[in-house]
Amino acid sequence: MFLSAGIFCGCEKSGNYPGGKVSPYIALFDLRNIYKGQDVTLTTENMFGADKISAVVISDHSGSNLPAGALVVQDGRRLGQLRGITIPLGNEAASYVPGDSVIINVAGKVLKKENGLLQLTGITSKDINKVASGIVIAPSIVKSNNIVDHPENYESTLITLTRVGFDPSYPAGSTYAGDRKINDGFADMTLHTEANATFANKVLPYLSNFTGIVFRNADGKPLLTPRKENDITVLSATAP
């Protein structure tokens, strides 16, 4: 009887793992999955004990082509699954540059979708601690059909499309300004350029590689938004 009791006690499961410690950081993969279609306030309970994110800045406002006041960060903390989030921060967003490593307090903040884009709202500069700078960011090289089919996986991340051409119906001399249909041989996508972007009036090339951040319009369709002219690598200026 004593032996049986000992075995029973030894097999009883405990809710605490000896020596285990809950991480204060939640991966953006998990953070985004907390949103289920309605605004949600972040708590240590729904963030599995965490209250912060640790991510790298990918937004760059020097080209005047990103949503005003948007700080965009990404991480790959969950098994290398890259995910990003857009944070409306106001004028202070421009003080952060690509490669800044930041820790952001997110407990009590709100995840909400605005104009088709999931955003982390309620963040102020007091919630952000820049811990490093100059982190090298290698954009993910993807095919447009993957983005079109699964925009939620790429939203607010930095990607590159290669060997991209514009819709051939555009007349000669057309410029970047506005929404332009592009295709890399796999699917049609939209390249978005603000009217006041530093490269808005450049003439469209024939073939290019485009790096940019994937945003979404009010209908949920993905938009590729180059941050500045250096995000565009022209392979051929004119048709052969």
Side-chain angles (χ1 to χ4, degrees):
M1 291 177 58
F2 292 115
L3 179 60
S4 298
I7 293 174
F8 178 79
C9 293
C11 293
E12 186 176 359
K13 293 183 178 180
S14 170
N16 297 318
Y17 181 80
K21 186 177 180 180
V22 176
S23 171
Y25 304 107
I26 183 171
L28 289 177
F29 180 96
D30 297 316
L31 185 83
R32 293 183 62 89
N33 283 336
I34 294 173
Y35 181 80
K36 302 299 183 184
Q38 295 183 333
D39 294 0
V40 57
T41 299
L42 298 172
T43 66
T44 54
E45 286 75 23
N46 61 23
M47 291 190 291
F48 318 106
D51 60 2
K52 301 177 181 67
I53 59 173
S54 177
V56 177
V57 174
I58 57 172
S59 48
D60 185 340
H61 287 270
S62 65
S64 300
N65 198 43
L66 295 185
L71 176 67
V72 190
V73 300
Q74 67 180 28
D75 77 22
R77 293 178 64 87
R78 169 64 75 178
L79 301 175
Q81 295 290 318
L82 188 67
R83 294 293 187 273
I85 196 75
T86 295
I87 301 170
L89 191 64
N91 293 334
E92 293 173 335
S95 65
Y96 297 92
V97 298
D100 285 347
S101 177
V102 293
I103 293 174
I104 305 176
N105 295 314
V106 297
K109 312 309 179 184
V110 178
L111 278 176
K112 64 171 60 178
K113 186 166 286 190
E114 294 188 351
N115 298 320
L117 182 69
L118 186 62
Q119 301 185 41
L120 176 56
T121 66
I123 301 292
T124 71
S125 59
K126 294 180 181 179
D127 297 307
I128 304 174
N129 180 24
K130 187 173 81 170
V131 294
S133 59
I135 305 297
V136 177
I137 305 171
S140 300
I141 298 175
V142 300
K143 296 178 175 62
S144 58
N145 61 312
N146 292 329
I147 301 172
V148 171
D149 292 342
H150 303 285
E152 67 280 358
N153 292 346
Y154 298 94
E155 179 184 302
S156 299
T157 67
L158 187 67
I159 66 98
T160 295
L161 294 181
T162 62
R163 301 188 63 78
V164 177
F166 289 89
D167 189 315
S169 67
Y170 293 138
S174 295
T175 64
Y176 283 99
D179 288 341
R180 298 296 189 183
K181 185 186 292 186
I182 56 175
N183 191 294
D184 62 351
F186 295 93
D188 288 334
M189 267 193 64
T190 299
L191 187 81
H192 177 76
T193 306
E194 294 287 332
N196 63 338
T198 56
F199 56 94
N201 295 321
K202 296 280 186 177
V203 174
L204 299 181
Y206 175 71
L207 196 67
S208 302
N209 295 341
F210 289 105
T211 294
I213 297 175
V214 178
F215 294 112
R216 294 168 83 173
N217 63 19
D219 295 326
K221 299 293 180 63
L223 306 171
L224 181 60
T225 304
R227 302 163 298 176
K228 54 187 178 180
E229 189 172 357
N230 286 351
D231 281 341
I232 302 169
T233 301
V234 175
L235 304 177
S236 177
T238 58

